[in-house]
Amino acid sequence: MSFSLIEIDPVHRIYSGHFSSFPEDIAVHGVSCRRGGVSKSPWDSLDLGLHVGDDPADVAENRRRYLAALGLDASQLVTPEQVHGEAIQRVGRSDAGRGALSYADSIAKTDALITDEPGLPLLLCFADCTPILLLDPAHRAVGIAHGGWKGTVRRIAAKTVLRMQQEFGTRPEDVLAAIGPSIGPCCYEVGPEVEHQFQEAFPGHEAALFSHPDAAGGTHLSLWAANRLQLEEIGVLRGHIDEARTCTACHHEDFFSYRADGGQTGRLGAVIALRS
Ligand SMILES: [Zn+2]
């Protein structure tokens, strides 16, 4: 298992993060990088978010370029209005294009999408929060979840797998999961309230979740570990969980980072689609 950046569009120099554990014959996936788009500062340049003040025409062009380089049709993509909640929506053919060109038209108040519809790209947007991609090769179904700290502590990744079980008959032991680039334990200092919520939600896992890299500083949280733990708890095999282990703040030359970029920045996209 490994995560690497691959140049998928040599003309525009667009790179995409790729997990080697996801079978390419079943699904297409990617985590977008920052270069190769048309957006201007502070969204420069491949901003895929329609809700951060960028010119919608620039975002549409960026989405078109990135999806096309993955072999997907950006006019078909389905994307939600992410609200750091735990709502999970199953989408199908009739949802194709929702949120593709207009944020108002996106799937309302939803932080995870699942589908068994081939050729329907699911897109979620991130700048430091954790993307979780899910693939059930046995039932040919996919999912994607938004794991900020709120979604992570509410176990949205695990709940998305359980929803796939309800909807598609997915067995957790068949699921391939990928934990994408996000703010790492190196850079993610949290206050006592967040620390307390994670202690309550994941008792006995303090060593995996918390660290104190600066002698004088506060507690750092690993969203990567919290997402891995909740997937393992419901039966996803450790050997099926691929982790990018890539910090968006440390690597903000490659990825948009809310913290490292000072709050106003673009959004990277995580995309997954079943092959037609
Ligand atoms: Zn870092």
Side-chain angles (χ1 to χ4, degrees):
M1 294 196 294
S2 68
F3 176 78
S4 56
L5 302 187
I6 296 173
E7 190 180 45
I8 58 171
D9 177 342
V11 174
H12 300 108
R13 307 296 311 269
I14 293 174
Y15 286 77
S16 185
H18 181 267
F19 291 95
S20 65
S21 58
F22 273 39
E24 280 296 309
D25 57 328
I26 299 179
V28 183
H29 78 279
V31 180
S32 69
C33 295
R34 185 170 192 140
R35 287 184 286 264
V38 298
S39 294
K40 295 155 198 75
S41 179
W43 306 280
D44 51 307
S45 66
L46 193 80
D47 171 30
L48 298 189
L50 274 173
H51 61 294
V52 289
D54 195 358
D55 183 339
D58 287 352
V59 174
E61 172 61 14
N62 294 336
R63 288 180 171 186
R64 191 198 62 73
R65 281 187 188 181
Y66 182 63
L67 276 281
L70 289 174
L72 299 169
D73 180 351
S75 73
Q76 299 296 297
L77 68 82
V78 184
T79 189
E81 172 203 11
Q82 297 163 219
V83 291
H84 294 276
E86 54 185 304
I88 301 157
Q89 181 74 42
R90 176 181 179 168
V91 294
R93 181 51 48 196
S94 62
D95 298 302
R98 287 196 58 190
L101 295 172
S102 154
Y103 190 62
D105 181 39
S106 53
I107 308 283
K109 295 186 169 56
T110 294
D111 286 88
L113 299 175
I114 60 172
T115 193
D116 63 351
E117 178 72 38
L120 192 68
L122 310 181
L123 167 76
L124 264 62
C125 291
F126 303 87
D128 289 343
C129 292
T130 306
I132 300 102
L133 294 100
L134 302 164
L135 170 61
D136 172 1
H139 295 86
R140 300 229 165 200
V142 292
I144 185 165
H146 168 222
W149 77 260
K150 289 179 183 168
T152 299
V153 82
R154 293 175 189 164
R155 288 180 164 73
I156 192 167
K159 286 173 179 171
T160 305
V161 172
L162 296 175
R163 183 69 182 278
M164 289 172 70
Q165 188 170 44
Q166 273 177 24
E167 299 281 349
F168 311 125
T170 294
R171 295 180 298 256
E173 63 269 30
D174 290 333
V175 167
L176 303 176
I179 297 173
S182 64
I183 193 156
C186 38
C187 296
Y188 192 32
E189 184 172 334
V190 296
E193 171 58 20
V194 173
E195 181 179 3
H196 179 69
Q197 287 195 38
F198 278 81
Q199 282 168 338
E200 296 269 295
F202 300 97
H205 292 293
E206 283 80 1
L209 294 176
F210 305 118
S211 58
H212 300 85
D214 316 315
T219 300
H220 288 221
L221 171 66
S222 175
L223 291 171
W224 306 338
N227 280 292
R228 187 188 70 241
L229 282 167
Q230 66 186 264
L231 291 168
E232 289 183 306
E233 273 175 359
I234 57 150
V236 179
L237 305 175
R238 184 160 198 156
H240 287 179
I241 304 173
D242 206 345
E243 292 186 61
R245 303 191 77 80
T246 300
C247 172
T248 43
C250 289
H251 298 278
H252 71 114
E253 73 287 0
D254 287 327
F255 300 101
F256 293 110
S257 169
Y258 185 84
R259 290 194 169 206
D261 297 329
Q264 198 176 27
T265 190
R267 293 293 180 272
L268 63 84
V271 174
I272 191 162
L274 288 165
R275 289 214 184 262
S276 300

